[in-house]
Amino acid sequence: MNSDGTRSSIQNPGWFNSNFQMEEVVDFNSDGTPDILWRDHKTGNNRIWFMNSDGTRSSIQNPGWFNSNFQMEEVVDFNSDGTPDILWRNQEMGGNRIWFMNSDGTLNRSQNPGWFDSRWSVIGDDFSLV
């Protein structure tokens, strides 16, 4: 895009199976270019497309599979290491998991921060009762 809101060019970074939905656009590898996080809600498969600044895809990483009962809620740097991490929530049971990520798109470790029953939902960076 141009700074005045007009389109400067179009780039096709590739295609993906229609079961995958875009979940988040965030710079996972700290190269200054946003990357795309995809999730297949039926199978629980996840993929990260590492992007080049020209809109082309440089590589694909499989950060891991996660139970399809869990929904991706937030992507934020929980441990302040400069790499975005993924917060998962089971909407039925209230379970939560944080995937602490490596900058190459691989899973470093998973942490259970605790649970809230299903009446609670994630709003922004806070938990709130609905």
Side-chain angles (χ1 to χ4, degrees):
M1 301 299 289
N2 297 312
S3 60
D4 64 0
T6 59
R7 181 180 65 220
S8 67
S9 65
I10 297 174
Q11 183 60 261
N12 180 356
W15 67 275
F16 222 147
N17 180 319
S18 62
N19 291 334
F20 279 84
Q21 295 177 354
M22 186 184 318
E23 290 292 328
E24 191 75 34
V25 176
V26 65
D27 186 5
F28 276 98
N29 57 357
S30 301
D31 66 354
T33 301
D35 306 305
I36 304 172
L37 177 58
W38 299 88
R39 178 156 173 79
D40 183 331
H41 290 270
K42 293 179 182 175
T43 66
N45 287 319
N46 302 284
R47 298 290 185 275
I48 297 172
W49 279 7
F50 289 104
M51 304 301 292
N52 296 312
S53 60
D54 64 359
T56 58
R57 184 180 64 218
S58 66
S59 64
I60 298 174
Q61 181 60 262
N62 178 355
W65 170 93
F66 203 35
N67 185 317
S68 60
N69 292 331
F70 279 78
Q71 301 295 315
M72 196 176 300
E73 291 292 333
E74 284 289 327
V75 177
V76 64
D77 186 3
F78 282 99
N79 58 355
S80 301
D81 67 352
T83 301
D85 306 304
I86 303 171
L87 172 63
W88 299 92
R89 176 142 173 83
N90 184 319
Q91 298 299 327
E92 279 185 36
M93 305 301 292
N96 301 287
R97 297 288 184 279
I98 297 174
W99 277 8
F100 291 100
M101 303 299 292
N102 296 313
S103 62
D104 65 357
T106 58
L107 176 63
N108 181 303
R109 65 186 172 91
S110 178
Q111 178 69 42
N112 178 355
W115 68 276
F116 281 113
D117 66 43
S118 61
R119 296 176 301 149
W120 289 80
S121 63
V122 177
I123 306 293
D125 295 336
D126 299 318
F127 282 98
S128 64
L129 181 63
V130 290

